């Protein structure tokens, strides 16, 4: 005879409702996998239900309210009461993860958060368990479905950013206020979570640099395609010896990159390390049912038996001097000596050019080039110098390029 | 202070040697993740070492000998002695999995086998744990790196099968006797393992139908490319109500299929179900270090705490009447009425045609068509009838086509 597992549910929005029906529908499967039959024992929703009462009547807590408070307070209270927690709350984990993990460790219970990154794609489980002992070098991810949808649509239709954003909002792929997605902050929180897990170090969200996609023009996408490149908003967490870097930026990927074929509102993460070469996981981003499915998987893992709570490693420093390749888009006067002047500035900065496409546009010309890897600082200094040249007809545009460095 | 975990290693070929150095190199990380420091306590190699002695001196057994016997006997003995086992042996799991899982269950220990399918790509963990309670509908996989390398090279170079196989053998991507890989038996064993895990049912290897790639011509690949298709050796395990089908066959994938971009000696698996849409995992196939890495992950999971052993579900039947789309390559006499005759045969069988390319080749013509989905039995009957038509200049060639059915 099976024991009942009483699940206290905090929040009943889209994901909460999807989770409540999924856990009922799959109760038999949960029981077969874990030996315990789950049952929703209480639901806290806006202005309804009493948290203390729900906590007292539950064996584990599922937090799907979102936002920092009172989610943080409730999760901490549950952990301190010795009750494991499953949450889908990426900002909570990114900003208060260390505090929550400490509380979990101190009380010998788990806090699980698969749904906080990439919906049903089991990237947290893979990085945290399957690859727990692998020396990881880099985690690269398309972890925001809204921006990937927008960039895919811009590439397919040639339409400008604003039009495609409006379409994404109609289709429900972008929120009414899309700032957190299109500005890169959402992806930054997810990359902070992955970096902490993959490199066993605390990561402050303030140390994650991010840029969004609001400045991208369809021109850039079209030109880059001629060079075999596709545009993505990429999160990259890298280890550089005893330092790490965690960044989010729009960039061009070469066709052979495992993330280059990821289109539409999909998420994908590539994990690299010497003993695994590279592993890529991909699937739909955070839809209600997919997120609920990830939450349920965490519930099952908890019911199936408590895994030990990992002790954190020491804090790694933040690397600030990084190398990159760049795509460079310049609108210049069409006259002799222009290319030579630009090449001279780049050469002096130690930046070598990998490819150039030049097009006449009447009395002006357009130069699109891709550089080899060089220190970003040197490139940005050269870019400033180029922007000040008198023959420039528009501000220079630069976008990072990520090469397939593996295999 | 940490407890030592004594690991008994059976087999010390390529993977065994890679595992022995990896576990030494990552011992600190294993200890951080599991609380126990691993130590190789004994190694059984051909003609060296005593199994009983190694078993007695070990807390867990890692089986990397390959082959069915004595691997099966040793694994059973370990499980019966209450010692968990990690194995990379796909034939052992595919052919004797039920017996081993019974023994594990009976003795309250785990047998883990991540490395048996897709090297370091955590597909067993994902299907068996992360998606344990998801109602899966289909698992599709490129699970043999040798054949994917050969097909990628044939597509890239236009060279015939025999030449590319020889190159693969030189590069170490194919064995001296490649029969098990190129004939599809290796992929069949892996798909049987995935089907059992994903559908919670015993699967007999004899119920897995398979075809290999030895009959593929560069022509077919070139023609199909015009239709936007790429050729893969695909394993497909599907649920049809209370029945399942498990098959391996060469087939053409449309460009939007998540497995279409998988090139070279890579493996990838796409898992579909209503609550996850589709999740794809990809990475290098079974190299020594990647396989060792997967074995180490299993060791860590065992050391970190015993998960309960899942009880198997009831046995599902095998579906034998399946629908497919087909690519059809016909060399015919170039004269009026030929296309009409072929279309008539197809129409009578209820097969409708999606696209046709016709090319003159002197006095003959080549017809390449893709059909819509229809019962395979009907198609094969029509194919037989077409092959007997007097204007046919060479045996008809038919290859399945898999459409992107999801999203």
């Amino acid at each position: 005879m099976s024991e009942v597992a009483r699940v206290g549910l905090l929040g009943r929005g889209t994901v909460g409702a999807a989770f409540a029906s999924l856990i009922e529908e799959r109760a038999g499967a949960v029981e077969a996998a874990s030996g315990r039959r789950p049952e929703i024992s209480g639901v806290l929703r806006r202005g309804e239900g009493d948290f203390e009462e729900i906590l007292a009547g539950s064996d584990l807590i599922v937090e799907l309210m979102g936002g920092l408070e009172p989610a943080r307070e409730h999760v901490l209270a549950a952990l301190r009461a010795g009750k494991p927690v499953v949450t889908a709350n990426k900002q909570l984990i990114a900003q208060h993860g260390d505090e929550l993990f400490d509380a979990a460790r101190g009380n010998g219970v788990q806090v699980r958060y698969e749904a906080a990154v990439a919906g049903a794609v089991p990237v947290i489980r893979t990085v945290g368990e399957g690859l727990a002992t692998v020396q990881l070098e880099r985690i690269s991810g398309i972890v925001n479905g809204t921006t990937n949808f927008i960039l895919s649509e811009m590439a397919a239709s040639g339409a400008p950013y604003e039009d495609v954003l409006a379409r994404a909002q109609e289709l429900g792929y972008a929120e009414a206020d899309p700032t957190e997605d299109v500005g890169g902050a959402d992806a930054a929180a997810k990359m902070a979570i992955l970096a902490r897990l993959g490199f066993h170090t605390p990561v402050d969200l303030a140390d994650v640099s991010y840029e969004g996609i609001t400045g991208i023009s369809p021109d850039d996408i079209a030109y880059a395609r001629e060079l075999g490149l596709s545009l993505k908003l990429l999160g990259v967490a890298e280890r550089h010896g005893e330092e790490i870097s965690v960044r989010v930026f729009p960039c061009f990927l070469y066709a052979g990159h495992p993330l280059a074929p990821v289109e539409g509102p999909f998420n994908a993460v590539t994990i690299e390390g010497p003993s695994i070469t590279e592993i890529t996981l991909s699937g739909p981003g955070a839809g209600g049912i997919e997120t609920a499915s990830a939450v349920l998987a965490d519930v099952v893992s908890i019911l199936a038996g408590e895994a030990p709570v990992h002790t954190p490693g020491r804090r790694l420093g933040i690397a600030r001097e990084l190398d990159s390749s760049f795509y460079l888009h310049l609108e210049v006067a069409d006259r002799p000596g222009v290319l030579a002047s630009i090449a001279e500035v780049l050469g002096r900065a130690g930046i070598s050019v990998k490819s150039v496409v030049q097009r006449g546009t009447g009395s002006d010309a357009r130069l699109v080039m891709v550089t080899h890897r060089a220190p970003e600082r040197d490139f940005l200094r050269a870019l400033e110098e180029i922007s000040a040249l008198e023959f420039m007809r528009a501000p220079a545009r630069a976008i990072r390029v990520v090469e397939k460095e593996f295999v």
Side-chain angles (χ1 to χ4, degrees), chain A residues 117-121 140-153 173 186-187 190 231-235 258-269 280-287 290:
Chain A
V117 181
V121 185
S140 312
I142 294 172
V143 290
N144 181 276
T146 303
T147 46
N148 205 55
F149 174 82
I150 292 173
L151 294 176
S152 299
E153 286 291 301
Y173 288 133
D186 173 86
K190 292 165 177 171
L231 189 68
K232 308 290 176 192
L233 183 67
L234 201 72
L259 298 177
V262 178
E263 297 284 348
F266 266 52
N267 282 193
V269 174
T280 301
L281 292 84
S282 65
E290 289 89 354

Side-chain angles (χ1 to χ4, degrees), chain A residues 281-336:
Chain A
L281 292 84
S282 65
I289 181 67
E290 289 89 354
T291 305
S293 190
V295 172
L296 184 61
D298 278 348
V299 168
V300 173
S301 292
I302 285 174
L303 297 182
E306 297 286 304
V309 180
H310 303 180
T311 45
R314 70 185 182 298
R315 182 181 280 269
L316 300 172
I318 300 296
R320 312 222 178 247
E321 318 257 300
L322 301 167
D323 290 358
S324 286
S325 293
F326 280 90
Y327 156 98
L328 187 56
H329 182 137
L330 306 173
E331 305 276 344
V332 297
D334 192 1
R335 62 173 195 242

Side-chain angles (χ1 to χ4, degrees), chain A residues 213-298:
Chain A
I213 62 163
T214 51
I216 298 296
S217 105
D219 265 21
D220 293 320
I221 296 179
Y223 273 93
R225 192 184 293 162
E226 290 184 31
L227 302 167
L229 301 168
S230 62
L231 189 68
K232 308 290 176 192
L233 183 67
L234 201 72
V236 179
E238 281 177 303
R239 187 166 178 137
H240 316 263
E242 288 304 292
E243 293 184 329
I244 60 166
S245 63
V246 190
R247 303 182 295 161
V248 173
F249 48 82
C251 72
F252 289 112
L253 299 181
Y254 278 94
H257 193 287
L259 298 177
V262 178
E263 297 284 348
F266 266 52
N267 282 193
V269 174
T270 298
I271 306 152
E272 295 167 73
S275 68
I276 55 168
T277 313
E278 48 149 291
I279 290 172
T280 301
L281 292 84
S282 65
I289 181 67
E290 289 89 354
T291 305
S293 190
V295 172
L296 184 61
D298 278 348

Side-chain angles (χ1 to χ4, degrees), chain A residues 12-272:
Chain A
R12 210 174 184 288
T14 313
V15 177
F19 173 74
S21 34
L22 189 64
I23 200 170
E24 200 184 315
E25 183 195 321
R26 305 299 297 159
V30 173
E31 190 176 351
S34 73
R36 296 177 71 183
R37 194 170 184 84
E39 207 178 271
I40 300 273
S41 52
V43 180
L44 184 71
R45 54 175 96 185
R46 221 176 287 262
E48 217 178 294
D50 176 72
F51 172 71
E52 296 300 334
E53 208 174 286
I54 290 168
L55 180 61
S58 303
D59 301 310
L60 71 88
I61 292 293
V62 171
E63 186 277 303
L64 301 175
M65 353 179 36
L68 290 181
E69 293 293 356
R72 172 181 153 278
E73 189 189 315
H74 290 341
V75 169
L76 278 173
L79 296 172
R80 287 177 185 143
K83 305 208 169 163
V85 173
V86 176
T87 175
N89 192 327
K90 63 183 170 287
Q91 289 295 349
L92 180 65
I93 295 293
Q95 295 184 42
H96 298 290
D98 294 321
E99 183 184 18
L100 303 182
F101 301 150
D102 277 349
R105 222 169 4 251
N107 293 281
V109 290
Q110 286 188 79
V111 51
R112 296 187 72 106
Y113 51 96
E114 183 65 71
V117 181
V121 185
V123 57
I124 297 294
R125 184 179 299 265
T126 298
V127 174
E129 298 174 24
L131 307 180
T133 60
V134 171
Q135 173 90 40
L136 298 185
E137 282 176 353
R138 187 185 293 118
I139 302 174
S140 312
I142 294 172
V143 290
N144 181 276
T146 303
T147 46
N148 205 55
F149 174 82
I150 292 173
L151 294 176
S152 299
E153 286 291 301
M154 285 176 74
S157 68
Y161 169 75
E162 291 72 19
D163 296 7
V164 175
L165 171 61
R167 182 134 36 109
Q169 285 170 321
E170 273 169 41
L171 292 169
Y173 288 133
E175 299 193 34
D177 176 1
T179 317
E180 222 189 298
D181 292 316
V182 301
D186 173 86
K190 292 165 177 171
M191 291 310 300
I193 293 173
L194 290 178
R196 174 165 41 198
L197 193 63
F199 301 134
H200 309 286
T201 175
V203 174
D204 297 330
L205 201 43
D207 286 327
V208 180
S209 66
Y210 62 90
E211 297 165 44
I213 62 163
T214 51
I216 298 296
S217 105
D219 265 21
D220 293 320
I221 296 179
Y223 273 93
R225 192 184 293 162
E226 290 184 31
L227 302 167
L229 301 168
S230 62
L231 189 68
K232 308 290 176 192
L233 183 67
L234 201 72
V236 179
E238 281 177 303
R239 187 166 178 137
H240 316 263
E242 288 304 292
E243 293 184 329
I244 60 166
S245 63
V246 190
R247 303 182 295 161
V248 173
F249 48 82
C251 72
F252 289 112
L253 299 181
Y254 278 94
H257 193 287
L259 298 177
V262 178
E263 297 284 348
F266 266 52
N267 282 193
V269 174
T270 298
I271 306 152
E272 295 167 73

Side-chain angles (χ1 to χ4, degrees), chain A residues 252 254 257 325 354 371-373 401-406:
Chain A
F252 289 112
Y254 278 94
H257 193 287
S325 293
K354 190 169 173 173
T371 71
H372 281 289
R373 275 172 82 84
V401 174
V402 172
E403 309 195 40
K404 182 174 167 65
E405 289 157 35
F406 18 70

Side-chain angles (χ1 to χ4, degrees), chain A residues 354-373:
Chain A
K354 190 169 173 173
S355 58
V356 185
V357 176
Q358 175 161 359
R359 284 280 160 75
T361 58
S363 65
D364 293 343
R366 188 169 291 147
L367 272 171
V368 172
M369 39 180 81
V370 175
T371 71
H372 281 289
R373 275 172 82 84

